[in-house]
Amino acid sequence: DYSFFPGKPKWTKKRLTYRIVRYTADISKRQVDRTVKTALRLWSKVTPLKFIRINKGEADIMIKFASCRHGDDFPFDGPGGELAHAFAPGKGLLGDAHFDRDETWSLGQSGINLLLVAAHEFGHSLGLGHSQDKDALMYPTYSYRNTAGFQLSRDDIAGIQSLY
Ligand code: TQI
Ligand code: CA
Ligand code: ZN
Ligand code: ZN
C-alpha cells in the first residue's frame, strides 16, 4: 500500500512550476524535456495538479542531473547505488528532484530508464512515500517495465488521489 512522508506534506496550490537546470550527456536535451513532461503528465492526469515549465528563476520543482556533491547534504555515489532522490513538498530544496549524472540514463531497457525513475521521483516531489505494492511505481525497487503507454498502478493513483 501507498504511504506519505511524516506529517503528510503536500502542495497547497494546483499550479506547480518546474525547471530543468542541468542535463545528462546520455540523452538529448529534447528527449529529457519530453520524458520529464511525460512523467509529470502521469500524475497530472489523475489529480487537479498542473505543471508549468519555466526556464529561469526558482521553480517549485527544480530538476537537475548532478554527480557526487551537488549542493545538498546527500551527495551521489558514482555509478550504481543511488540513482536519484527527491524531496517532499515545500519551499526551497523541498519538492526538488536530483538525478545521478554518473548513471547511464536511457529511454529503453539498457541502463536506467529515465521515465520510470523520474515518474517515481515526482511521486516523492508530490508527497508520496514508498508503497508495499510490488506493482506500484512507488515500490522501492527498480524494475524495468515497457514505457510505451506506461500507466500508474491503482495503488499509485489511490495514493495521490487521497492527497489531492
Ligand atoms: N533513491 C531513493 C528513492 O528515490 C532515495 C530514497 C530513499 C527516498 N528513501 C526515500 C526518497 C524516501 C524519498 C523518500 O527511492 S534510489 C528507485 C526504485 C531510487 C530507487 O536511487 O534508490 C527509483 C530512485 F524505486 F526503483 F527503487 C528511483 Cl524508481
Ligand atoms: Ca549512483
Ligand atoms: Zn540532491
Ligand atoms: Zn523512492
Side-chain angles (χ1 to χ4, degrees):
D1 281 13
Y2 56 81
S3 71
F4 306 110
F5 290 98
K8 214 173 168 182
K10 59 177 274 187
W11 298 101
T12 52
K13 53 189 178 183
K14 307 267 177 272
R15 292 162 62 90
L16 299 175
T17 55
Y18 71 97
R19 177 177 167 198
I20 306 171
V21 287
R22 207 171 161 218
Y23 289 80
T24 163
D26 302 339
I27 309 174
S28 73
K29 277 192 172 195
R30 210 174 123 256
Q31 302 263 52
V32 170
D33 291 348
R34 212 198 299 167
T35 303
V36 163
K37 190 172 176 180
T38 303
L40 289 169
R41 199 163 43 217
L42 290 169
W43 296 108
S44 62
K45 254 192 334 210
V46 298
T47 59
L49 299 172
K50 280 201 159 56
F51 298 103
I52 297 139
R53 185 172 176 199
I54 62 172
N55 291 310
K56 53 180 157 187
E58 180 78 15
D60 298 310
I61 302 175
M62 297 288 275
I63 297 163
K64 71 176 174 188
F65 288 84
S67 331
C68 305
R69 299 219 144 268
H70 57 273
D72 59 25
D73 290 334
F74 311 96
F76 283 126
D77 52 2
E82 195 176 5
L83 312 172
H85 52 232
F87 300 90
K91 287 194 193 320
L93 186 65
L94 297 178
D96 295 359
H98 302 160
F99 297 85
D100 190 342
R101 223 168 177 275
D102 289 337
E103 307 305 334
T104 305
W105 295 100
S106 86
L107 298 176
Q109 194 162 7
S110 66
I112 305 295
N113 185 280
L114 181 60
L115 176 68
L116 297 174
V117 171
H120 177 101
E121 295 309 325
F122 296 147
H124 290 316
S125 296
L126 296 178
L128 288 180
H130 286 142
S131 171
Q132 301 189 41
D133 182 336
K134 282 196 289 312
D135 295 329
L137 177 64
M138 297 314 294
Y139 188 72
T141 301
Y142 177 83
S143 68
Y144 176 76
R145 334 164 179 217
N146 189 353
T147 56
F150 177 78
Q151 301 252 353
L152 297 176
S153 76
R154 296 166 67 96
D155 183 71
D156 300 311
I157 296 172
I160 204 69
Q161 289 187 343
S162 89
L163 203 52
Y164 295 99

